[in-house]
Amino acid sequence: MLGLKLFKLRGGVHPEGRKQLAAEHGIRSLPLPAELFIPLQQHIGAPATPVVKVGERVLKGQLLAAAQGAVSAPVHAPTSGTITALGDHVAPHPSGLPVPTITLTSDGAEQWLEAAGCATPLELAAEEIAAQVAAAGIVGLGGATFPAALKLNLSRNSGVQTLILNGGECEPYLTCDDRIMRERAPQIVEGIQLIARAVAADEVLVGIEDNKPQAIAAMQAAAQGSSVQVVVMPSMYPMGSEKQIIQVLTGKEIPAGGRPADIGVLVHNVATAYAVQQAIRYGRPLISRIVTVSGGAIKTACNVEALVGTPVQALIDFADGYAQPTARLVLGGPMMGQQFTHTGVPVVKGTSGVLALTASEIGQAEPSPCIRCTTCVRACPVGLLPLEMAAHIRASDLTGAVALGLKDCIACGSCSYVCPAHIPLVHYFNYAKGDLAAQERAKLKLEATKKLAEDRTARIARIERERAEAAARRKAAREAKERAAKAAAESEGAA
Ligand code: SF4
Ligand code: SF4
């Protein structure tokens, strides 16, 4: 549907899209890697706990590690083979530090674990849909990696008026969502209907930027006759971020520190809807995802379906390697993605892109002093004052930066992108948020330690009190006994 009223996005920028590098390359499957490195933590929340041992043979789709606690997600075997290690491996994180990882050596057979699936998924109860989504290890594939089932349950409990499917894909270079919508629209629409059923949504909107005409046409055709409405949005960065897509499609704003559920909205990515459909109709857990391999340094940009755990180097090789010297490697998009250096890092559930960018693409100009032009203020989609927040952070005044809304910053990088002085504003904000998180962790640790010490003191006092009370009781009993004996002796003497 094209007629829905759109609301204006505050701020935003128009970076060069560079999507043409990969957009016309259909999704291709990567050759099966010899070894897969599957991190236990691929989602927001607690890492999964391994349920397999080294030397064990596993089938494709078999559970490798179970969710641990309320906010967590399980991980499954992306292929059949043998578990050859349970240990640390480099992670898709800027630090490149190793994280607990399961190594699976493929047997080349791609032998699936027998799965039940469901021929009539749209008849399932809401709770059953959420339970199957949880068991399949589905997380937000737009990059947030929040466990999808938890979002479904929280939203069902708080009530959802509007379900939004995010097909914005506003980050330059990335075309994985564009391609999945073009090529797998009927499955996505069924996944959307399952999510809508799981949360009893009144209204279902799919927001797609106007630079994806084929995806729009495919989704409109697939949604025909259903209650799913495809809405065309103007191309602007960061249209695809959660707060902004809600604002544009509904006119509602998430209150500071709040969640979409607070205003009756649930947002999922279109690729997440596809994963939901695959899990429920075919019983297939989330073991692969579509990844865009692009950037000026890549020889043949492409979109690939990669198994979770595939080393990024295999994707670069599949794209025929490098055509030019690489100045920066990025996982995700160039605006919000993570830089990395080690191409042995594995594809994880949240990996939307692998970019190799040239020096001219990243344009690393030296920063100069702020000229107080306020361009960054106009670009900020959240309505913050980036120049003032950065000044407070530079002066080590985190409290002042928080008072100016640091916690509401979505780290979109729009301010840095437009700054004529090339000040890396978003780096300040990410650094400060890291500092804040560390301070909060330290505070929690201190509180926990204090509580432990208080509990210990109280326990010792209780034990001493109980000992003293027992001794007093024993003494009283002894004295009573002595008194009774004395009284008996006296009465015997008197007799
Ligand atoms: S855009 Fe850059 S130069 Fe202009 S006010 Fe903001 S920080 Fe200063
Ligand atoms: S990075 Fe933060 S401060 Fe800068 S434009 Fe985005 S939301 Fe605003």
Side-chain angles (χ1 to χ4, degrees):
M1 175 190 160
L2 300 169
L4 194 95
K5 181 189 173 208
L6 294 181
F7 296 83
K8 200 174 168 333
L9 177 71
R10 188 199 290 122
V13 293
H14 290 280
E16 203 184 323
R18 306 198 184 183
K19 290 181 184 276
Q20 73 284 359
L21 289 172
E24 297 315 314
H25 296 268
I27 300 166
R28 291 159 69 199
S29 292
L30 272 187
L32 183 64
E35 274 190 317
L36 293 155
F37 303 93
I38 307 135
L40 298 177
Q41 172 104 52
Q42 298 182 43
H43 48 266
I44 290 184
T49 309
V51 295
V52 287
K53 295 190 180 70
V54 172
E56 190 171 332
R57 179 171 148 69
V58 295
L59 297 177
K60 184 167 179 149
Q62 185 176 327
L63 182 71
L64 296 183
Q68 186 192 172
V71 187
S72 186
V75 294
H76 300 80
T79 188
S80 55
T82 305
I83 304 299
T84 43
L86 290 173
D88 289 349
H89 187 77
V90 282
H93 184 269
S95 70
L97 289 174
V99 297
T101 300
I102 296 174
T103 304
L104 170 58
T105 300
S106 157
D107 62 8
E110 288 275 66
Q111 192 184 351
W112 274 96
L113 181 76
E114 210 168 304
C118 176
T120 52
L122 291 171
E123 292 173 11
L124 290 175
E127 293 78 6
E128 182 57 23
I129 294 170
Q132 290 192 27
V133 168
I138 298 173
V139 301
L141 295 181
T145 67
F146 193 78
L150 187 58
K151 233 165 130 174
L152 293 182
N153 288 331
L154 290 173
S155 301
R156 186 173 64 250
N157 294 340
S158 58
V160 172
Q161 282 96 54
T162 308
L163 167 64
I164 293 176
L165 272 297
N166 191 345
E169 199 171 50
C170 58
E171 275 267 14
Y173 295 91
L174 299 186
T175 56
C176 50
D177 288 349
D178 182 6
R179 289 308 318 187
I180 201 170
M181 288 189 285
R182 290 196 210 187
E183 298 180 39
R184 302 178 188 179
Q187 296 94 319
I188 294 173
V189 169
E190 186 171 81
I192 294 171
Q193 290 170 316
L194 285 163
I195 296 172
R197 188 171 170 81
V199 296
D202 300 328
E203 178 186 46
V204 185
L205 309 173
V206 185
I208 308 175
E209 284 195 347
D210 59 9
N211 60 2
K212 302 176 188 64
Q214 294 98 327
I216 292 166
M219 289 295 290
Q220 282 174 335
Q224 204 139 36
S226 76
S227 60
V228 176
Q229 303 176 57
V230 176
V231 186
V232 181
M233 312 180 296
S235 303
M236 179 179 263
Y237 181 85
M239 185 68 79
S241 88
E242 194 168 72
K243 285 185 181 181
Q244 280 56 48
I245 199 169
I246 291 174
Q247 194 184 332
V248 166
L249 295 185
T250 70
K252 294 179 180 175
E253 283 203 43
I254 303 173
R259 298 172 301 133
D262 299 337
I263 52 169
V265 180
L266 170 65
V267 182
H268 271 296
N269 179 270
V270 287
T272 311
Y274 175 78
V276 167
Q277 190 263 354
Q278 294 289 297
I280 293 178
R281 185 170 275 279
Y282 303 112
R284 293 193 170 169
L286 181 60
I287 54 166
S288 67
R289 66 155 298 141
I290 316 299
V291 183
T292 300
V293 189
S294 189
I298 286 287
K299 203 162 188 180
T300 314
C302 54
N303 294 286
V304 296
E305 179 149 22
L307 295 177
V308 165
T310 304
V312 161
Q313 184 62 50
L315 279 72
I316 295 170
D317 292 344
F318 190 74
D320 301 324
Y322 302 113
Q324 293 189 53
T326 301
R328 181 179 293 168
L329 287 166
V330 180
L331 287 173
M335 301 292 281
M336 293 180 83
Q338 295 175 344
Q339 290 183 45
F340 70 104
T341 50
H342 194 312
T343 55
V345 297
V347 167
V348 290
K349 294 173 183 178
T351 309
S352 53
V354 173
L355 306 182
L357 304 175
T358 62
S360 68
E361 286 177 301
I362 59 175
Q364 274 180 320
E366 280 301 308
S368 52
C370 172
I371 54 171
R372 301 195 72 79
C373 62
T374 70
T375 313
C376 56
V377 179
R378 290 195 296 280
C380 179
V382 186
L384 303 176
L385 298 170
L387 74 167
E388 299 294 347
M389 287 201 307
H392 281 273
I393 293 164
R394 268 198 300 265
S396 302
D397 175 17
L398 279 190
T399 311
V402 170
L404 287 168
L406 176 64
K407 287 184 178 172
D408 289 322
C409 166
I410 57 170
C412 67
S414 297
C415 50
S416 308
Y417 179 78
V418 293
C419 176
H422 308 291
I423 300 171
L425 295 156
V426 70
H427 291 183
Y428 283 109
F429 308 145
N430 285 336
Y431 172 80
K433 281 193 251 180
D435 246 21
L436 271 182
Q439 280 180 15
E440 271 159 31
R441 275 197 304 276
K443 191 173 154 216
L444 285 175
K445 199 171 162 193
L446 190 71
E447 280 167 6
T449 312
K450 198 172 152 209
K451 172 127 192 355
L452 280 176
E454 284 169 0
D455 287 352
R456 184 172 179 274
T457 308
R459 197 171 59 248
I460 291 170
R462 178 176 49 77
I463 292 169
E464 281 174 357
R465 193 178 60 247
E466 285 170 0
R467 272 197 198 132
E469 284 167 2
R473 276 197 303 277
R474 278 197 305 276
K475 187 175 174 221
R478 197 172 56 245
E479 285 171 355
K481 203 171 158 191
E482 282 168 6
R483 275 197 304 276
K486 193 173 168 198
E490 280 171 4
S491 84
E492 258 177 43

